[in-house]
Amino acid sequence: MDRTPTARDRRVRTAIFPVAGLGTRFLPATKATPKELLPVLDTPLIQFAIDEAREAGIERMIFVSHPSKEAIERYVRADAELEATLRERGKARLAEMLHDNAVDEDAMQVRFVMQPEPLGLGHAVLCARDEVLPGPVAVVLPDDLILGGEGCLKEMIDAYDPARAGHMVATMQVGAEEVSSYGVLDATGREGGLILARGMVEKPAPEAAPSRQAVVGRYLLDASIFEALDGLPPGAGGEIQLTDAIAAGVETVGLCGFRFSGVRYDCGSKAGMLAATMAYAGGQAAYASVLAAPPGGLTTAAE
Ligand code: G1P
């Protein structure tokens, strides 16, 4: 049988956003507000993830959520009533901003599926199986915010060549003491921005880590990932691990890491959230000062 993927099959058309986690690290803020809606300055984390997927040309977004987090769906979908109220009150710019932020369901499809129990990231991805479009899928973890540069997902899709490696994961180098917080590549070499790999281990002890190339929350996965996840036993931490399913496909579909150009912030931690907020606020302030500058550009004290 000819297994050469057709051009359409090779296109990454679906993005899966696992958003079912309870966000215990941010309690009490997350008691009634999903952690994906916590703002980085004024923009909820989920908005960055949506914008990144949009920039990458994704056609369908699947949110794997939890029944207690219906506020995410309210945020993602357009709210015509709120927009109309804002317009009536002369706040057309705000209405427009909300409209632009929300997913335009004429241009893009949105699906919500539930993951009622926290059985792991692999299980969350498996929950999306019946809703994915044909071909490889992207997985985006909104906790991992990547700022600066081109959108990470777009960069990955531009570099993706399933004939060489059907699974591609975003990676960054971390310190030896940090490897136990990540999935880690068993790296064999480099080729440009790609890190060639023959395996991947979830949260290894420092002395057992095959490298210091840590996986951050952006994945392009061959469609066979769903078969690999189906029936997969729990791994590290007693959870069904996406890492294990990726590692199981190394021989058949291949695996590589991708060194993205932006800066990643771990917004699942308070320190990371704070750092992201400062970086984003700094960018916004610089942008605002350019907008406020007199025609002809910014002046300096020397002028
Ligand atoms: C998950 C993945 C891990 C990856 C990390 C990136 O872990 O299981 O392989 O390195 O995301 O943020 P978590 O942080 O959800 O424990």
Side-chain angles (χ1 to χ4, degrees):
M1 194 175 73
D2 180 11
R3 299 189 74 89
T4 316
T6 63
R8 193 171 173 81
D9 282 340
R10 296 162 63 115
R11 262 180 40 213
V12 184
R13 305 169 62 200
T14 308
I16 300 169
F17 302 86
V19 294
L22 295 181
T24 47
R25 280 197 277 176
F26 276 98
L27 280 170
T30 46
K31 185 179 173 199
T33 304
K35 68 172 171 170
E36 294 77 10
L37 297 185
L38 294 181
V40 174
L41 194 61
D42 57 359
T43 303
L45 273 176
I46 195 75
Q47 186 69 53
F48 291 95
I50 291 171
D51 290 345
E52 200 181 312
R54 220 171 352 209
E55 182 189 350
I58 292 297
E59 294 170 40
R60 178 177 292 181
M61 298 188 182
I62 304 175
F63 297 86
V64 182
S65 188
H66 184 270
S68 68
K69 298 176 82 176
E70 78 279 359
I72 294 182
E73 183 157 6
R74 229 176 323 128
Y75 182 83
V76 168
R77 297 192 194 269
D79 186 338
E81 215 177 300
L82 176 58
E83 286 171 27
T85 308
L86 288 168
R87 285 205 173 86
E88 272 165 31
R89 297 188 183 174
K91 297 186 189 306
R93 277 186 67 177
L94 278 181
E96 228 165 85
M97 184 258 283
L98 284 189
H99 190 77
D100 290 347
N101 281 355
V103 176
D104 173 1
E105 294 189 47
D106 291 330
M108 192 179 288
Q109 302 156 15
V110 174
R111 300 281 189 278
F112 275 81
V113 298
M114 293 299 134
Q115 184 193 23
E117 277 184 274
L119 299 180
L121 178 58
H123 179 258
V125 171
L126 186 58
C127 288
R129 182 184 204 164
D130 292 343
E131 296 290 350
V132 301
L133 294 168
V137 297
V139 176
V140 178
L141 307 187
D143 272 6
D144 278 332
L145 176 60
I146 300 176
L147 295 176
E150 203 174 30
C152 179
L153 205 55
K154 180 169 190 315
E155 283 184 340
M156 290 174 77
I157 289 177
D158 287 347
Y160 185 54
D161 178 6
R164 292 189 57 215
H167 296 327
M168 177 190 265
V169 294
T171 43
M172 65 179 197
Q173 177 138 336
V174 297
E177 68 293 351
E178 292 177 279
V179 286
S180 56
S181 302
Y182 295 94
V184 174
L185 281 187
D186 187 351
T188 55
R190 277 170 189 272
E191 226 177 84
L194 299 185
I195 295 156
L196 311 175
R198 62 176 168 216
M200 189 172 155
V201 192
E202 182 67 10
K203 306 202 170 87
E207 60 281 7
S211 78
R212 292 201 278 127
Q213 294 299 328
V215 174
V216 307
R218 302 292 182 279
Y219 307 78
L220 299 182
L221 301 171
D222 181 81
S224 61
I225 195 72
F226 296 107
E227 280 156 55
L229 283 167
D230 203 359
L232 190 72
E239 297 190 339
I240 297 170
Q241 296 291 353
L242 185 58
T243 295
D244 296 344
I246 294 171
V250 164
E251 294 291 321
T252 44
V253 302
L255 168 64
C256 70
F258 177 80
R259 187 67 194 92
F260 51 95
S261 65
V263 178
R264 175 263 191 179
Y265 297 89
D266 173 13
C267 291
S269 78
K270 288 174 194 171
M273 192 68 167
L274 185 60
T277 304
M278 307 275 277
Y280 184 62
Q284 296 286 87
Y287 180 64
S289 64
V290 170
L291 287 186
L298 291 168
T299 51
T300 65
E303 285 173 298

